[in-house]
Amino acid sequence: MKIGCFVETYNFKYKEEVEALKIFEATAESMGHSFEVMGKDIVNKIDEFDSVFIRAITDPLFTSYVVSRIAEERGKRVIDDSESIRICSDKVALYHRLKKNEVPIPRTFPFYGNFGDLGMIVKEIGFPIVVKAPNSRFSLYVEKANNFQELLAIIKRFLRRNKAILLQEFIPSSFDWRIGVLRDEIIYACKYLLPKGGWRIRDIVDNKVVWGEVRAVSKDNLPKKLKKVALKAAKSVGDGLYGIDAKQYGKEFLVIEVNDNPTIMHGLEDAKDRDIYEKIILALVE
């Protein structure tokens, strides 16, 4: 079968991501399939492929979503599917999906601009409060308010470009779990360590953008409760490829986000479970 892989130019910024793309290609060929990396030209050539694998930032306003929709309409198998993109790109919609499916999450409130409700929300959550825009990714448009004055300033700024935002309980931790799930199966796991002096995976410390370290963990060594929570979170969105971000709070695990199109870099996410490439290729051709 022929697999088309859609990428953008920034996908070649990190050598670890380029190496991962090369491994995807080599794995597909070893399994008897072709794997072609393409940019936006894939929009006009989707009929040439049996399936499409998206490795670019997904958003309903981006080319990635157009590629996904066209591929689906042409009857192609596609990762990520357009519904997963739509849900995961809108943190408010994702919140309602997780809540409906009783996935454990931090105390969270959608906020639509009714400032009369703010006092009640603050009383329920307590400071600090994490404020998220619906389209936040890579810790962008995610800020922390330590008092009411900071909260008002962040909310007003975020509402200039959004009809709704999320106000969420702050869960202190030194790392986030990232659990990779594909078709209701955990295929890799790692810890995203928070950078020293920061509280987000991507943060600004001493006026510099810093990223936390990635430490792979064998999926076989994960706590059973974490596995259960991650699979439940993924299933609440669909059966595609997801990266579940969770924090450990005592003996409990709370889901922070479900990400479609999760990062896969050679030597990082794949360091313990190298068969993730084969599993993803299988999902594209079966």
Side-chain angles (χ1 to χ4, degrees):
M1 296 184 71
K2 297 182 66 175
I3 303 169
C5 179
F6 171 63
V7 300
E8 300 269 29
T9 54
Y10 58 78
N11 292 116
F12 302 100
K13 182 178 180 180
Y14 300 104
K15 65 178 182 179
E16 295 87 352
E17 189 164 21
V18 174
E19 286 299 315
L21 288 172
K22 291 179 179 178
I23 296 173
F24 274 118
E25 181 179 7
T27 301
E29 291 177 351
S30 71
M31 297 167 66
H33 310 288
S34 67
F35 187 95
E36 185 175 351
V37 176
M38 297 191 69
K40 294 181 180 180
D41 287 346
I42 197 173
V43 171
N44 300 316
K45 297 184 178 182
I46 285 179
D47 285 335
E48 298 178 12
F49 300 103
D50 298 295
S51 60
V52 175
F53 184 33
I54 296 173
R55 286 281 82 199
I57 292 176
T58 49
D59 187 288
L61 297 177
F62 294 175
T63 304
S64 54
Y65 185 74
V66 175
V67 171
S68 181
R69 286 296 304 272
I70 293 176
E72 289 172 341
E73 290 173 2
R74 303 287 173 84
K76 314 294 182 181
R77 187 180 299 276
V78 57
I79 298 177
D80 293 318
D81 62 276
S82 62
E83 177 69 358
S84 294
I85 293 173
R86 186 184 68 81
I87 295 298
C88 293
S89 295
D90 182 345
K91 297 300 182 287
V92 176
L94 177 61
Y95 159 79
H96 287 294
R97 189 67 67 93
L98 295 175
K99 196 74 173 176
K100 178 181 178 181
N101 289 276
E102 299 181 339
V103 177
I105 61 175
R107 285 176 291 182
T108 304
F109 291 85
F111 185 76
Y112 299 93
N114 186 350
F115 287 89
D117 295 337
L118 199 54
M120 178 274 293
I121 295 174
V122 169
K123 184 177 180 180
E124 183 69 24
I125 297 180
F127 288 107
I129 292 176
V130 177
V131 186
K132 294 182 178 180
N135 62 337
S136 61
R137 58 173 62 88
F138 302 119
S139 300
L140 294 171
Y141 311 115
V142 177
E143 298 187 22
K144 184 173 63 173
N146 295 297
N147 55 57
F148 202 84
Q149 185 176 1
E150 289 181 1
L151 180 62
L152 279 175
I154 297 171
I155 288 175
K156 289 178 180 179
R157 177 156 42 84
F158 277 20
L159 285 178
R160 291 173 190 162
R161 301 183 63 180
N162 303 280
K163 294 182 179 179
I165 58 177
L166 285 184
L167 304 181
Q168 190 169 77
E169 174 186 14
F170 175 68
I171 306 295
S173 66
S174 59
F175 70 91
D176 285 358
W177 283 104
R178 165 60 67 87
I179 310 299
V181 177
L182 174 65
R183 298 197 298 184
D184 203 32
E185 177 189 358
I186 293 174
I187 62 172
Y188 72 88
C190 56
K191 292 180 177 180
Y192 285 176
L193 276 62
L194 304 184
K196 185 177 180 179
W199 62 277
R200 299 169 291 189
I201 301 303
R202 176 191 181 277
D203 216 327
I204 299 176
V205 179
D206 296 330
N207 295 319
K208 295 181 180 179
V209 175
V210 293
W211 289 84
E213 181 184 348
V214 178
R215 291 184 184 173
V217 178
S218 172
K219 62 179 182 289
D220 296 328
N221 296 331
L222 295 177
K224 290 182 179 180
K225 186 174 287 188
L226 175 58
K227 290 181 180 180
K228 183 178 179 180
V229 167
L231 290 172
K232 189 174 186 179
K235 197 169 185 178
S236 71
V237 177
D239 64 353
L241 174 63
Y242 308 108
I244 313 300
D245 291 342
K247 287 187 181 289
Q248 190 165 347
Y249 191 60
K251 295 182 179 180
E252 302 300 317
F253 296 94
L254 303 175
V255 171
I256 303 299
E257 287 185 355
V258 178
N259 303 275
D260 70 306
N261 191 43
T263 301
I264 298 176
M265 294 195 180
H266 179 48
L268 300 179
E269 286 82 5
D270 69 353
K272 293 292 184 180
D273 296 293
R274 289 295 300 276
D275 61 349
I276 64 174
Y277 299 99
E278 181 178 345
K279 289 181 181 296
I280 291 172
I281 296 299
L282 281 173
L284 287 163
V285 301
E286 287 185 342

